[in-house]
């Protein structure tokens, strides 16, 4: 169902593989905006809305139209007026945007308060070269505007160093529609680039999404939600660039435009059954950046690899979930063997490097390491060992033991099973006492934490390996309506 309409005020319009997208912003995002505007954006910088060019539609006299409604399908963004006049935008591959209108003009406008330092230069009658010299790392890219038909006019207020605010208009003429291309590149204009038919590209994009969507199933009452969710999964993929060595899914193309070292697991699980190749790359894209000690970065994007934090070892559990959903694919040796080696190194990082005093309790150095960044569990100054960290490691060491046994590595199976049993004893007898969880501090020993956090109950991830009485008591607590259970699920505090 590729004709399902979506709103760029809610979801960015993009194509799988592209680092560009379109979004509508208003005073909610930028108080200096007088009205909601559609923007072409770049998502290469994490946690930055990064508006590049505002997009406006013009009548034949060059006046800005105020009654435009923007809607999109998976393959095409359409701006329509009350007089049924419209403009279409599509993505031509990963790096290009195409647009055309038979009777409206299309304006790309710099808003100086939002994008300082933009430069736009007309290098040929049919071509404008734009760069950004300030305001984010996207200044490493050119944005080449090329006229395909109609006429193009640049209005620039050059101030000696940049364009100081400009408009670039594409207008139809008596015989031709307004049409053009925006090419994002780290190179000058490619002289050998050939451009295919607009409608052919749109049909190709539609078919690409239909193929992706066909992998999912749901009850009819959830169909619209499934299409919207599938579009976000599909369109949030970006092509390899910088630290992103594989085609991988960003958390979002809105604000959280990065890949965090546990979100990638959840996305991989979601794709494991329907799109296993994409799921495997999604799982491995963070693993590609593991350091020599076995630590994963907290976050990667094209130009960022955040090392000062990490994320908890949920990866054994995550890969086990992927195996459960698609055992034939994920337990194949060419995939399971490298994952086993990586999980071993990742586990040893927590058991050895993050236990510098050899207490037997691996440590978080900040709430960000836990994934529950600002929880009350971390009011007590870290370093801290938390029950759910042991729970994740119990699952992961047990998973490693199972893989080693299945692959006829008895010594490794014994090593990891012993580590698993030790962690179970520590969690069940030392960190869980009289129905309450304790944290461990290298300075203070076992301590009661302030507040009432769901964090330690995440150790139920290892439920099958925990004592039955402990497991039952934890479940009873979670069902208590006066603790965490709400009508919308579990509260984190």
């Amino acid at each position: 169902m590729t004709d399902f309409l979506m709103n760029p005020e809610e979801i960015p319009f993009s194509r799988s593989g592209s680092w560009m997208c379109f979004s509508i912003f208003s005073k909610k995002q930028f108080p200096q905006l007088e009205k909601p505007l559609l923007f072409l954006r770049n998502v290469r910088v994490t946690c930055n809305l990064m508006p590049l060019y505002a997009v406006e539609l013009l009548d034949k006299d060059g006046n800005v139209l105020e009654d435009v409604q923007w809607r999109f399908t998976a393959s095409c963004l359409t701006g329509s007026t009350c007089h049924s006049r419209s403009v279409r935008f599509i993505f031509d591959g990963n790096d290009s945007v195409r647009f055309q209108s038979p009777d409206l003009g299309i304006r790309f406008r710099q808003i100086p308060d939002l994008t300082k330092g933009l430069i736009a230069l007309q290098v040929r009658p049919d071509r404008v070269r734009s760069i950004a010299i300030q305001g984010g790392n996207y200044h490493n890219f050119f944005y080449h505007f090329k006229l395909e038909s109609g006429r193009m006019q640049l209005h620039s207020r050059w101030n000696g160093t940049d364009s100081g605010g400009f408009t670039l208009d594409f207008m139809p003429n008596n015989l031709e529609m307004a049409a053009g291309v925006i090419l994002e590149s780290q190179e000058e204009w490619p002289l050998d680039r050939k451009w295919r038919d607009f409608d052919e590209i749109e049909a190709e994009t539609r078919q690409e999404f239909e193929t992706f969507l066909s992998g999912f199933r749901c009850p009819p009452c959830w169909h619209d939600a499934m299409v919207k969710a599938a579009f976000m999964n599909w369109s949030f993929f970006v092509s390899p660039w910088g630290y992103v060595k594989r085609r991988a899914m960003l958390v979002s193309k809105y604000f959280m435009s990065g890949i965090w070292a546990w979100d990638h697991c959840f996305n991989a699980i979601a794709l494991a059954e329907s799109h296993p190749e994409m799921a495997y790359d999604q799982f491995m894209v963070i693993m590609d950046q593991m350091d020599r000690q076995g630590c994963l970065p907290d976050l990667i994007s094209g130009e960022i690899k955040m090392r000062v934090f990490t994320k908890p070892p949920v990866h054994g559990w995550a890969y086990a979930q992927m195996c459960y959903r698609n055992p034939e694919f994920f337990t194949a040796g060419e995939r399971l063997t490298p994952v086993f080696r990586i999980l071993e190194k990742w586990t040893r990082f927590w058991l050895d490097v993050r236990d510098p005093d050899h207490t037997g309790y691996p440590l978080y150095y900040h709430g960000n390491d836990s994934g529950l960044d600002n929880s009350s569990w971390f009011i007590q100054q870290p370093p801290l060992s938390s029950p759910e960290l042991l729970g994740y490691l119990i699952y992961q060491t047990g998973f490693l033991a199972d893989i080693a046994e299945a692959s006829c590595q008895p010594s490794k199976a014994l090593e990891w099973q012993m580590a698993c049993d030790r962690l179970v004893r520590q969690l069940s007898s030392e960190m869980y006492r009289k129905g309450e969880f304790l944290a461990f501090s290298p300075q203070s020993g076992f301590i009661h934490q302030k507040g009432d956090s769901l964090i330690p109950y995440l150790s139920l991830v290892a439920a099958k390996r925990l004592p039955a009485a402990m497991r039952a008591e934890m479940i009873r607590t979670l069902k208590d309506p006066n603790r965490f259970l709400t009508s919308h699920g579990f509260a984190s505090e």
Side-chain angles (χ1 to χ4, degrees):
M1 185 182 175
T2 53
D3 293 332
F4 180 82
L5 290 176
M6 290 168 274
N7 184 349
E9 196 167 2
E10 299 173 351
I11 303 170
F13 171 65
S14 187
R15 181 174 177 174
S16 186
S18 180
W19 290 85
M20 293 185 289
C21 68
F22 289 88
S23 292
I24 291 177
F25 293 145
S26 63
K27 285 183 177 294
K28 180 180 178 181
Q29 292 85 16
F30 297 103
Q32 57 268 55
L33 291 179
E34 297 179 358
K35 61 181 181 179
L37 286 173
L38 181 76
F39 285 89
L40 175 64
R41 302 169 50 222
N42 174 309
V43 296
R44 294 181 186 272
V45 176
T46 302
C47 297
N48 190 324
L49 293 174
M50 292 180 65
L52 287 171
Y53 309 100
V55 182
E56 296 173 312
L57 301 188
L58 312 175
D59 65 18
K60 62 182 177 61
D61 297 319
N63 300 309
V64 175
L65 297 170
E66 302 293 346
D67 60 341
V68 179
Q69 182 182 59
W70 295 98
R71 292 292 183 268
F72 67 88
T73 65
S75 58
C76 183
L77 170 66
T78 303
S80 302
T81 72
C82 60
H83 300 291
S84 300
R85 299 176 297 178
S86 65
V87 59
R88 293 192 295 161
F89 286 84
I90 63 171
F91 281 87
D92 188 348
N94 298 332
D95 61 355
S96 304
V97 171
R98 306 274 293 279
F99 53 91
Q100 61 177 224
S101 177
D103 52 7
L104 295 178
I106 303 105
R107 169 170 289 173
F108 299 92
R109 177 163 67 95
Q110 178 197 4
I111 299 179
D113 286 350
L114 299 187
T115 51
K116 295 180 174 62
L118 274 176
I119 294 175
L121 301 175
Q122 190 141 8
V123 296
R124 279 184 44 169
D126 67 342
R127 199 178 307 155
V128 166
R129 177 185 188 269
S130 180
I131 61 173
I133 59 174
Q134 297 176 15
N137 291 349
Y138 54 91
H139 61 268
N140 288 323
F141 283 81
F142 299 108
Y143 293 89
H144 301 285
F145 292 79
K146 184 180 186 300
L147 178 70
E148 289 193 292
S149 64
R151 54 191 173 87
M152 179 177 72
Q153 188 168 17
L154 174 67
H155 299 274
S156 176
R157 295 185 291 275
W158 185 254
N159 62 18
T161 58
D162 61 63
S163 296
F166 65 84
T167 60
L168 176 60
D169 296 344
F170 290 77
M171 300 293 295
N173 59 27
N174 294 331
L175 300 176
E176 297 178 317
M177 69 170 62
V181 177
I182 307 168
L183 171 66
E184 179 191 54
S185 177
Q186 288 190 292
E187 300 175 336
E188 296 288 347
W189 182 262
L191 299 178
D192 58 348
R193 186 71 175 259
K194 300 293 188 294
W195 301 99
R196 292 186 292 154
D197 178 73
F198 189 100
D199 292 330
E200 178 186 344
I201 298 299
E202 184 183 356
E204 176 188 275
T205 307
R206 186 186 309 116
Q207 183 57 53
E208 182 184 324
F209 177 66
E210 283 180 351
T211 301
F212 181 83
L213 180 64
S214 67
F216 301 100
R217 297 287 183 272
C218 76
C221 62
W222 291 103
H223 185 266
D224 288 357
M226 182 189 74
V227 173
K228 187 180 289 189
F231 174 79
M232 288 192 285
N233 280 318
W234 174 78
S235 67
F236 288 175
F237 269 84
V238 291
S239 55
W241 174 66
Y243 292 116
V244 180
K245 302 298 184 184
R246 304 166 187 254
R247 194 175 178 93
M249 191 196 302
L250 303 178
V251 169
S252 171
K253 283 187 178 176
Y254 183 71
F255 185 70
M256 303 282 285
S257 54
I259 303 169
W260 277 261
W262 70 342
D263 300 81
H264 78 111
C265 290
F266 311 143
N267 292 335
I269 292 169
L271 296 171
E273 187 174 354
S274 58
H275 300 87
E277 294 88 356
M278 298 173 82
Y280 188 76
D281 277 346
Q282 183 67 14
F283 183 83
M284 295 296 285
V285 68
I286 284 282
M287 303 305 188
D288 293 338
Q289 301 300 328
M290 179 176 278
D291 70 17
R292 64 185 182 89
Q293 291 183 311
C295 184
L296 297 175
D298 179 45
L299 157 72
I300 63 168
S301 64
E303 292 188 335
I304 296 173
K305 179 163 58 176
M306 185 181 288
R307 288 292 194 189
V308 292
F309 303 117
T310 186
K311 280 290 180 279
V314 300
H315 301 76
W317 168 83
Y319 199 79
Q321 296 298 311
M322 295 162 69
C323 291
Y324 173 76
R325 284 160 172 75
N326 200 330
E328 183 177 349
F329 186 87
F330 292 106
T331 62
E334 67 268 26
R335 284 174 282 276
L336 187 59
T337 297
V339 168
F340 178 77
R341 295 193 188 110
I342 287 166
L343 289 178
E344 279 197 308
K345 195 171 181 181
W346 179 221
T347 307
R348 290 192 175 106
F349 165 78
W350 282 101
L351 296 180
D352 299 335
V353 180
R354 278 298 181 95
D355 184 13
D357 295 328
H358 310 292
T359 63
Y361 290 93
L363 301 169
Y364 289 137
Y365 289 159
H366 191 279
N368 290 0
D369 291 340
S370 76
L372 282 298
D373 303 354
N374 53 359
S375 166
S376 64
W377 193 258
F378 300 100
I379 289 176
Q380 172 77 21
Q381 182 174 334
L384 288 175
S385 188
S386 187
E388 94 288 355
L389 177 52
L390 268 65
Y392 298 145
L393 288 167
I394 288 167
Y395 196 106
Q396 194 154 292
T397 51
F399 184 57
L400 288 169
D402 292 343
I403 296 174
E405 183 176 358
S407 57
C408 300
Q409 301 178 71
S411 61
K412 282 187 176 289
L414 179 61
E415 173 192 352
W416 290 118
Q417 189 58 56
M418 290 174 64
C420 179
D421 293 342
R422 175 177 58 79
L423 290 164
V424 169
R425 287 193 299 271
Q426 290 173 238
L427 176 60
S428 61
S429 64
E430 298 182 35
M431 299 192 90
Y432 189 72
R433 300 179 187 178
K434 298 180 180 180
E436 291 189 18
F437 281 107
L438 304 175
F440 175 81
S441 164
Q443 290 79 31
S444 310
F446 292 100
I447 54 175
H448 289 275
Q449 288 297 75
K450 299 175 182 177
D452 193 15
S453 173
L454 189 67
I455 281 183
Y457 292 90
L458 295 174
S459 56
L460 271 175
V461 71
K464 291 184 179 180
R465 298 182 185 271
L466 299 179
M470 177 184 177
R471 185 169 62 239
E473 178 61 22
M474 291 171 69
I475 293 171
R476 186 199 65 75
T477 301
L478 289 173
K479 288 182 176 180
D480 182 349
N482 297 315
R483 291 289 293 277
F484 306 108
L485 187 59
T486 76
S487 58
H488 301 288
F490 289 112
S492 60
E493 296 281 328

